Amino acid sequence: MSDRGTRTFHQIDAEPYSFPFDGHWSSADTALLLLGFQQGTISELSATPAFTTALDLLSVALDCGLFVAVSRRVARRDGDDVVPAEGFGGLDFPPQLILPDTALVVDHSGDNAFYRTPLETELKAPGIRNLLIAGLPTDGLVHATQRTANDMGFECLAVADACQGTSETRHAAQLRITTFGNGLFGTVASAAAVKAALTKI
């Protein structure tokens, strides 16, 4: 994480409105949320390009001092024992995903990183209100988590090219749904637009 103190940023050029809506965001109130970037999932979805984009975004986010939260999809037996989720390649993150000690990692079952996890509490405790979201698949974990976050009062942006769906058609459709009704579930932008806002002086 950057040691430059709190940094404020320009709005992100996003659809259907510039992010965030009120125009005010900073390293103190924003988190990068990485969802489901596990080795098996990346392989099954042929999602290396999205993962590479997410890694690049992670590097910029850390340099700017953003909080980072990472979700790991698992299954749960009776008694809450964590086991690998069937069809999702186990628990392992790729070795390229190097996280700082300050990163929050949450294990969750199903398509919602907030379900039966401390994610909401851990985000709100330090005053996080804006989420930049990347992950796999768009038409599952990403969208369900973003909808829940929106209901919880977070301002959300899905980074389109740092996400990938189970098909390109479903990916595109889910991003359209995100922006339905002038941003009912949040906004969508490219990684380039996010990076431009984070690095603009």
Side-chain angles (χ1 to χ4, degrees):
M1 181 176 290
S2 172
D3 59 359
R4 301 173 188 172
T6 300
R7 298 175 60 181
T8 57
F9 308 112
H10 295 269
Q11 281 184 292
I12 298 172
D13 183 12
E15 294 293 336
Y17 58 83
S18 295
F19 176 93
F21 184 79
D22 65 5
H24 303 289
W25 66 303
S26 73
S27 57
D29 61 21
T30 304
L32 174 64
L33 186 54
L34 302 176
L35 303 172
F37 283 111
Q38 291 156 263
Q39 292 192 84
T41 312
I42 294 168
S43 176
E44 289 163 20
L45 297 179
S46 299
T48 298
F51 176 55
T52 300
T53 300
L55 288 179
D56 187 38
L57 192 59
L58 172 62
S59 177
V60 174
L62 290 174
D63 186 61
C64 291
L66 271 62
F67 183 77
V68 174
V70 184
S71 89
R72 179 166 49 194
R73 185 171 179 176
V74 301
R76 296 184 186 275
R77 295 192 180 104
D78 291 343
D80 287 340
D81 292 331
V82 174
V83 297
E86 183 178 357
F88 279 80
L91 298 178
D92 293 341
F93 292 129
Q96 299 95 326
L97 182 56
I98 301 171
L99 300 171
D101 293 338
T102 54
L104 171 69
V105 178
V106 295
D107 290 332
H108 61 92
S109 57
D111 284 333
N112 188 340
F114 286 100
Y115 178 66
R116 297 176 67 188
T117 76
L119 183 56
E120 179 185 12
T121 300
E122 294 291 339
L123 290 174
K124 288 186 174 178
I128 299 297
R129 64 187 186 94
N130 303 305
L131 299 179
L132 307 175
I133 301 173
L136 309 171
T138 318
D139 49 314
L141 178 53
V142 172
H143 188 69
T145 299
Q146 182 165 344
R147 288 183 67 158
T148 300
N150 182 75
D151 289 343
M152 291 174 171
F154 294 101
E155 177 99 32
C156 301
L157 181 147
V159 186
D161 47 342
C163 300
Q164 185 161 316
T166 54
S167 72
E168 183 56 38
T169 298
R170 290 170 182 161
H171 170 75
Q174 207 68 72
L175 293 180
R176 284 196 301 271
I177 292 170
T178 299
T179 62
F180 177 78
N182 293 319
L184 181 62
F185 303 122
T187 61
V188 176
S190 66
V194 174
K195 289 169 57 180
L198 287 170
T199 57
K200 185 174 181 180
I201 304 300

